[in-house]
Amino acid sequence: DARVTQTPRHKVTEMGQEVTMRCQPILGHNTVFWYRQTMMQGLELLAYFRNRAPLDDSGMPKDRFSAEMPDATLATLKIQPSEPRDSAVYFCASGLVIGTESTGELFFGEGSRLTVL
Amino acid sequence: KQEVTQIPAALSVPEGENLVLNCSFTDSAIYNLQWFRQDPGKGLTSLLLIQSSQREQTSGRLNASLDKSSGRSTLYIAASQPGDSATYLCAVTSGSRLTFGEGTQLTVNP
């Protein structure tokens, strides 16, 4: 049963602390997305990787957020220092690029719900 | 910049009714369009993917259509059931980005 796995599912932390969220994409998928979902903003794209290389991270606050893919089976999203406005659900999604700049079906993880006090 | 709009924002129907959810996008140069379902506290589940060369896709009681030239897609749900209650989102792929609509919150009443 192939699926995208995210950890932790829930995280409560205090302002100023470092937060790291992890994602295991579906084996064989070469594109990974990080999204943030809030009631006010809906789904926002934070970062996009293809073949482990970052292609688009323009939606990510550079001063505190960083995203990496140390290997094909792990993507990480780090926030340092965290702020209350970072409270949201963070989703990872993976898919397979078909053709140039075309993404096939996208599969989402269950999300990491972050609360920063 | 691609913008995706979904109408209505919320819909409540009695069980058994057929219904249509709408999605429109501003830039017709898309590679594909995908419909998702999201249950409360859960991730997004892919329902249907329509490539830009296709006009529709069907899966069970779901049928999605795509009209690229007019920038529109519809998701038709036949014989709705209470288990269909969820938020439905459409997303279009253009350039290197996948852009989501705000979603339609569907409630099917028994």
Side-chain angles (χ1 to χ4, degrees):
Chain A
D1 182 25
R3 57 179 177 157
V4 177
T5 304
Q6 289 187 247
T7 57
R9 291 294 313 280
H10 302 274
K11 175 74 175 180
V12 180
T13 190
E14 293 188 346
M15 183 173 63
Q17 295 298 305
E18 177 179 303
V19 175
T20 298
M21 288 167 276
R22 294 176 174 81
C23 168
Q24 181 176 354
I26 292 174
L27 189 65
H29 283 182
N30 63 352
T31 59
V32 174
F33 295 82
W34 281 105
Y35 284 91
R36 173 170 64 182
Q37 187 177 41
T38 62
M39 289 293 292
M40 295 298 295
Q41 301 293 331
L43 273 163
E44 302 174 274
L45 176 66
L46 296 176
Y48 165 42
F49 290 80
R50 182 187 300 166
N51 297 323
R52 296 175 54 200
L55 288 191
D56 186 350
D57 60 3
S58 58
M60 201 165 63
K62 300 291 192 303
D63 56 339
R64 299 183 299 108
F65 284 61
S66 61
E68 296 180 344
M69 280 201 74
D71 60 60
T73 64
L74 177 65
T76 62
L77 180 66
K78 186 179 295 185
I79 308 174
Q80 168 63 21
S82 58
E83 297 180 2
R85 60 179 168 154
D86 301 330
S87 297
V89 181
Y90 290 80
F91 287 105
C92 174
S94 74
L96 186 64
V97 172
I98 302 172
T100 304
E101 300 298 348
S102 172
T103 304
E105 192 172 6
L106 207 58
F107 296 87
F108 277 73
E110 292 287 293
S112 294
R113 182 175 294 277
L114 173 65
T115 302
V116 183
L117 303 174
Chain B
K1 177 187 172 186
Q2 179 74 269
E3 292 181 3
V4 180
T5 304
Q6 290 188 246
I7 295 173
L11 182 63
S12 181
V13 300
E15 181 177 3
E17 191 163 298
N18 302 327
L19 58 99
V20 174
L21 307 181
N22 297 291
C23 172
S24 61
F25 45 94
T26 54
D27 183 355
S28 61
I30 66 170
Y31 291 104
N32 60 44
L33 183 145
Q34 196 165 353
W35 281 94
F36 294 87
R37 168 188 173 137
Q38 186 175 27
D39 293 283
K42 299 288 188 180
L44 280 69
T45 301
S46 177
L47 297 174
L48 291 164
L49 171 70
I50 311 177
Q51 300 294 347
S52 62
S53 58
Q54 299 173 322
R55 292 195 63 84
E56 66 176 336
Q57 282 285 344
T58 299
S59 175
R61 294 182 293 108
L62 305 180
N63 176 274
S65 67
L66 174 64
D67 184 342
K68 261 182 54 174
S69 60
S70 67
R72 296 179 188 277
S73 175
T74 61
L75 179 66
Y76 175 83
I77 302 178
S80 58
Q81 302 171 357
D84 295 331
S85 298
T87 297
Y88 291 80
L89 298 102
C90 70
V92 297
T93 302
S94 51
S96 62
R97 280 180 168 258
L98 188 70
T99 305
F100 282 85
E102 295 291 318
T104 294
Q105 186 172 353
L106 173 67
T107 303
V108 181
N109 301 300

